[in-house]
């Protein structure tokens, strides 16, 4: 790295203002600097040392920076410790000098020191692979609803005969929203867990900044008919972005919600409604039935700092899956061969006894898998067969030997099918 720079962490609350100025120079008119300052000062779990900074020695100007934003995700009810490499930016005059690579090394050391299960990035395509991140969980499918497809009746209780009243959510709605979150988590294999402090941030600080969101409550004529949805205040792109909607919303309520959003589009000069929701969600499927267009879904970029540790953490999930398969009560070893290293999952009567480095001896049940395909497989983004469409270097050891008794007795395919199926996952934002 160029010796003209110093790598450090944020040292005081004063750095929040410097970070805001740094990101404003890079991203304006998108108000990312304001967002960085709000995260730095108010987001739960953020500390000065969560900011990784490359500073020019001579001027003390921030040249490059990003934050480690802590999350909690749930995998089938099991909580995982997540570190997002977020709000990444290098000043134009400081690029191509290895600054992000140096910062990333410090970040990786922190992942190991603090025992994070996953590191995640929502960044630009193609860039973060060099730092070990791979596309693994759906993100932003861009379901666009032209306004002419949406009815004009708002149903907002303003005297036009509508059946629903709409209001902005406040901190008094936190318990209701937490309950809606629980329904969302039950509907997904991987989801975000947002505790009371995160909801306080979402309802108190997020609505005040351009990169934040508004949470809306809609209520029907009966006390138990209540739903919520989330609209981005600014967002990236031209549409009015709706990024959360109650899981159990009724068809009539959803139609009224879209009509309300159409009114907001006119007020805010937005040409269409954009849903950033899981394609299998009720809202997304309904929008598609209206005639909404569906873009090509993007994906979270994910790095697994320690594969053995993650497999050990999710042992209860793996055991439950095996119990429901034809191999319930399996005793033996399943080897994951990453070509440069091997990991052995050692089973006894259907229980995962240990996860160890692979031994030198051959293993009867072996899956060959490139390192970059482990995250999408273990996180349920794709099955091994789906990954193999474009990557024949993921395969059970006996696959290419041909038919015969040896192939029939090999349990690798049945083990991998049982332990690592594709799953429905969706991650809501927490800021």
């Amino acid at each position: 790295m160029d010796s003209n720079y110093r790598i450090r962490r944020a040292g005081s609350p004063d750095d929040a203002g410097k970070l805001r100025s740094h990101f404003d120079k890079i991203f304006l008119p998108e108000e990312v600097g304001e967002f960085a300052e709000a995260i730095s000062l108010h987001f739960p779990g953020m500390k000065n040392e969560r900011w990784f900074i490359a500073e020019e020695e001579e001027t003390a100007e921030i040249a490059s920076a990003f934050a480690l934003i802590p999350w909690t995700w749930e995998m089938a009810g099991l909580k995982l410790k997540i570190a997002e490499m977020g709000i990444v930016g290098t000043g134009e005059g400081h690029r191509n000098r290895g600054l992000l690579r140096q910062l990333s090394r410090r970040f990786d050391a922190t992942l190991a020191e603090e025992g994070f299960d996953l590191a995640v990035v929502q960044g630009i395509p193609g860039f973060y692979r060099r730092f070990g991140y791979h596309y693994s969980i759906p993100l932003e499918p861009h379901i666009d609803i032209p306004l002419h497809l949406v009815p004009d009746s708002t149903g907002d209780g303003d005297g036009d005969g509508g059946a629903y009243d709409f209001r902005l959510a406040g901190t008094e709605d936190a318990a209701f929203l937490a309950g809606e979150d629980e329904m969302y988590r039950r509907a997904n294999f991987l989801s975000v867990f947002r505790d009371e402090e995160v909801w306080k941030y979402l309802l108190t600080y997020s609505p005040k900044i351009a990169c934040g969101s508004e949470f809306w409550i809609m209520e029907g004529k009966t006390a138990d008919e209540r739903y919520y949805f989330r609209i981005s205040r600014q967002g990236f792109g031209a549409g009015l972005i709706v990024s959360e909607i109650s899981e159990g919303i009724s068809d009539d309520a959803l139609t009224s919600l879209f009509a309300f959003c159409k009114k907001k589009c006119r007020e805010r000069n937005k040409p269409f409604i954009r849903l950033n929701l899981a394609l299998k969600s009720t809202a997304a499927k309904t929008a598609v039935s209206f005639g909404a267009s569906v873009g090509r879904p993007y994906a979270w970029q994910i790095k697994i700092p320690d594969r053995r540790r993650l497999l050990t953490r999710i042992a209860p999930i793996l055991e439950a899956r095996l119990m429901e398969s034809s191999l319930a009560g399996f005793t033996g070893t399943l080897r994951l061969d990453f070509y440069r290293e091997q990991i052995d999952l050692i089973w006894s009567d259907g229980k995962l006894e240990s996860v160890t480095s692979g031994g030198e001896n051959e293993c009867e049940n072996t899956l060959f898998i490139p390192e970059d395909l482990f995250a999408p497989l273990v996180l349920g983004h794709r099955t091994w067969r789906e990954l193999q469409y474009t990557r024949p270097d993921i395969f059970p050891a006996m696959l290419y030997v041909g038919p015969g008794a040896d192939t029939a007795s090999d349990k690798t395919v049945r083990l991998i099918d049982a332990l690592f199926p594709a799953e429905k996952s969706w991650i809501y934002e927490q800021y």
Side-chain angles (χ1 to χ4, degrees):
M1 190 190 76
D2 194 319
S3 60
N4 293 324
Y5 297 91
R6 178 168 68 96
I7 302 297
R8 68 175 180 88
R9 305 290 185 95
S12 73
D14 293 342
D15 277 322
K18 294 181 68 175
L19 288 162
R20 176 172 182 160
S21 176
H22 167 72
F23 290 113
D24 278 346
K25 290 175 185 175
I26 297 170
F27 292 107
L28 280 175
E30 284 83 13
E31 297 182 40
V32 177
E34 179 189 45
F35 174 56
E37 186 175 44
I39 288 289
S40 181
L41 295 177
H42 304 298
F43 190 76
M46 283 300 294
K47 301 176 285 189
N48 287 330
E49 57 266 32
R50 294 291 191 207
W51 282 99
F52 295 76
I53 296 171
E55 183 178 79
E56 194 171 33
E57 287 276 13
E58 184 176 349
T59 64
E61 177 185 87
I62 294 177
S64 181
F66 63 76
L68 186 164
I69 305 175
W71 293 61
T72 298
W73 286 8
E74 276 194 3
M75 177 186 280
L78 179 71
K79 288 185 172 55
L80 299 178
K81 188 176 181 180
I82 311 298
E84 179 183 6
M85 180 190 286
I87 323 179
V88 182
T90 300
E92 187 173 357
H94 305 285
R95 294 169 187 168
N96 300 312
R97 301 190 183 188
L99 300 181
L100 272 181
R101 189 167 296 280
Q102 285 290 317
L103 293 173
S104 179
R105 288 174 186 161
R106 301 288 182 92
F107 180 81
D108 288 348
T110 302
L111 299 179
E113 290 166 7
E114 299 190 27
F116 283 96
D117 296 305
L118 301 175
V120 303
V121 174
Q122 301 183 59
I124 58 176
F127 182 77
Y128 292 94
R129 184 182 180 89
R130 70 193 71 182
F131 302 120
Y133 293 84
H134 307 292
Y135 298 100
S136 304
I137 296 295
L139 174 70
E140 295 204 6
H142 286 234
I143 303 163
D144 294 341
I145 311 175
L147 297 185
H148 72 270
L149 298 178
V150 180
D152 286 318
S153 176
T154 64
D156 61 0
D158 59 3
D160 65 357
Y164 296 91
D165 293 304
F166 293 78
R167 62 176 175 83
L168 284 168
T171 54
E172 68 278 6
D173 297 300
F176 166 70
L177 292 167
E180 294 292 288
D181 245 12
E182 187 174 349
M183 292 176 60
Y184 141 75
R185 294 197 305 274
R186 287 202 301 266
N188 290 277
F189 173 65
L190 269 172
S191 59
V192 62
F193 177 80
R194 300 181 288 194
D195 64 15
E196 183 179 344
E197 289 302 310
V198 171
W199 272 112
K200 180 179 177 181
Y201 175 87
L202 286 169
L203 295 171
T204 303
Y205 297 104
S206 184
K208 297 177 181 178
I209 60 176
C211 288
S213 300
E214 299 167 351
F215 286 83
W216 287 84
I217 304 292
M218 58 185 298
E219 298 167 315
K221 299 302 183 184
T222 60
D224 59 348
E225 191 178 14
R226 182 164 51 156
Y227 309 104
Y228 92 99
F229 57 101
R230 178 178 186 170
I231 298 176
S232 297
R233 294 198 62 218
Q234 181 185 76
F236 293 92
L240 182 81
I241 300 171
V242 181
S243 57
E244 296 185 30
I245 296 178
S246 287
E247 286 287 325
I249 192 167
S250 69
D251 189 75
D252 288 345
L254 191 56
T255 302
S256 292
L257 187 159
F258 289 154
F260 177 83
C261 290
K262 179 178 181 177
K263 189 173 87 168
K264 289 299 176 187
C265 284
R266 289 170 173 163
E267 291 174 1
R268 301 178 186 187
N269 196 30
K270 298 288 186 179
F272 58 90
I273 301 167
R274 183 175 113 201
L275 303 183
N276 279 348
L277 298 167
L279 289 173
K280 294 181 180 179
S281 66
T282 298
K285 290 187 288 187
T286 302
V288 172
S289 77
F290 285 2
S293 63
V294 180
R296 298 287 295 177
Y298 195 45
W300 286 85
Q301 298 167 68
I302 297 180
K303 173 160 60 179
I304 299 174
D306 188 324
R307 291 187 286 263
R308 283 176 53 187
R309 187 178 65 208
L310 180 65
L311 288 165
T312 301
R313 287 273 293 118
I314 67 171
I317 296 169
L318 300 179
E319 291 171 355
R321 286 172 171 172
L322 196 65
M323 181 68 69
E324 296 176 356
S325 76
S326 63
L327 292 170
F330 171 73
T331 295
T333 300
L334 171 65
R335 175 168 294 171
L336 304 178
D337 192 318
F338 297 97
Y339 293 96
R340 292 191 297 181
E341 71 162 326
Q342 297 80 37
I343 293 177
D344 285 351
L345 285 72
I346 300 172
W347 295 83
S348 178
D349 294 327
K351 298 296 182 183
L352 184 55
E353 283 198 335
S354 62
V355 180
T356 67
S357 296
E360 295 181 0
N361 297 329
E362 290 188 9
C363 180
E364 183 179 2
N365 305 298
T366 298
L367 176 75
F368 287 91
I369 174 171
E371 293 181 353
D372 62 310
L373 298 186
F374 180 65
L377 179 72
V378 76
L379 299 179
H381 190 49
R382 297 280 188 269
T383 67
W384 72 268
R385 288 181 176 85
E386 290 169 332
L387 293 168
Q388 199 187 47
Y389 281 132
T390 56
R391 294 288 297 275
D393 47 351
I394 177 173
F395 65 97
M398 295 296 291
L399 182 66
Y400 299 126
V401 173
D406 288 342
T407 306
S409 64
D410 177 44
K411 294 182 172 64
T412 307
V413 170
R414 297 192 290 281
L415 284 167
I416 296 301
D417 285 347
L419 295 173
F420 304 113
E423 298 277 8
K424 174 177 173 283
S425 296
W426 190 255
I427 307 298
Y428 283 155
E429 294 287 5
Q430 64 163 356
Y431 38 64

